[in-house]
Amino acid sequence: KFNVTNTRSKDALLCFRVFLCPDQWIPNLDHQKTSFIELDCFVQEVKAGESKTVERKSEESSVLMADVSTVEDIRNGVKEDTKPYCGCGWPRNLLIPRGSPGGMKSKLFVLVTDWNEDAVDATVRMTGNVAFCGKVDAKYPDKKPMGFPFDRKFMVSDDPKYW
C-alpha cells in the first residue's frame, strides 16, 4: 500500500504502475533499469483534493495468470472449468523474486499517470491479467509501450544522490 494525493481541482482516473527493484546502487542507470520487475498496473479514481491510501492484494495483479483449475479440483467439484484457459502472465508463486538466503533489500517504485491520457479507451480498465497480453478481442488498453517507463534510455546523472 502507498499514499497518493490528488492536488488537482477535478477528480482523476489514475494509472498506477508498480515495480520492484533491488536496493543497490549500480553506477550505470541504463543497466540498472533492467533490474526493475513490473508487479502490477491498475487504474483507480482519486477525487479532487483527496489524499488516500491505495492498497492492492497481490492476487489482483495485472501480471499474474488466472487461477488454473486442476483435474482434481474439477473432479471433486471444488471448481468448475467453465472458462477457457489463458496462460498469459506469471504464475502466482513467481510474482516476487526469491532473493537470497541472507535476504534481499528492495525498493518499490510507483509511477502514477493520468489514465485519461494513457488509455486507448478510458472506459476500459487494466483489470485481470492484461499487462502482458492485453484484453481478449480488444486493443491493448494502454497507449504507453510495454515496460514503460523502462523501455527507453535513461537520460539522467549516474550520481547516487538522484536515486
Side-chain angles (χ1 to χ4, degrees), residues 26-40:
I26 298 174
N28 182 338
L29 288 179
D30 208 46
H31 176 71
Q32 185 170 2
K33 72 180 183 182
T34 63
S35 300
F36 283 72
I37 301 165
E38 185 174 358
L39 297 180
D40 202 0

Side-chain angles (χ1 to χ4, degrees), residues 38-127:
E38 185 174 358
L39 297 180
D40 202 0
C41 183
F42 62 95
V43 176
Q44 197 169 99
E45 184 176 18
V46 180
K47 302 283 184 196
E50 179 184 28
S51 290
K52 71 188 274 186
T53 299
V54 176
E55 194 168 333
R56 227 48 187 154
K57 294 181 180 179
S58 61
E59 304 86 63
E60 299 171 316
S61 172
S62 63
V63 301
L64 294 179
M65 64 174 48
D67 277 336
V68 178
S69 300
T70 65
V71 172
E72 192 166 313
D73 286 341
I74 296 167
R75 190 178 299 143
N76 294 334
V78 176
K79 292 182 181 177
E80 288 185 26
D81 195 22
T82 56
K83 53 185 174 181
Y85 171 71
C86 173
C88 188
W90 285 103
R92 295 181 189 291
N93 62 321
L94 295 179
L95 179 62
I96 303 295
R98 183 188 311 184
S100 64
M104 185 173 137
K105 289 186 176 186
S106 58
K107 288 184 178 182
L108 197 62
F109 175 79
V110 181
L111 177 68
V112 182
T113 58
D114 187 333
W115 185 242
N116 289 314
E117 293 175 13
D118 295 350
V120 170
D121 176 356
T123 63
V124 176
R125 305 291 176 93
M126 293 287 282
T127 56

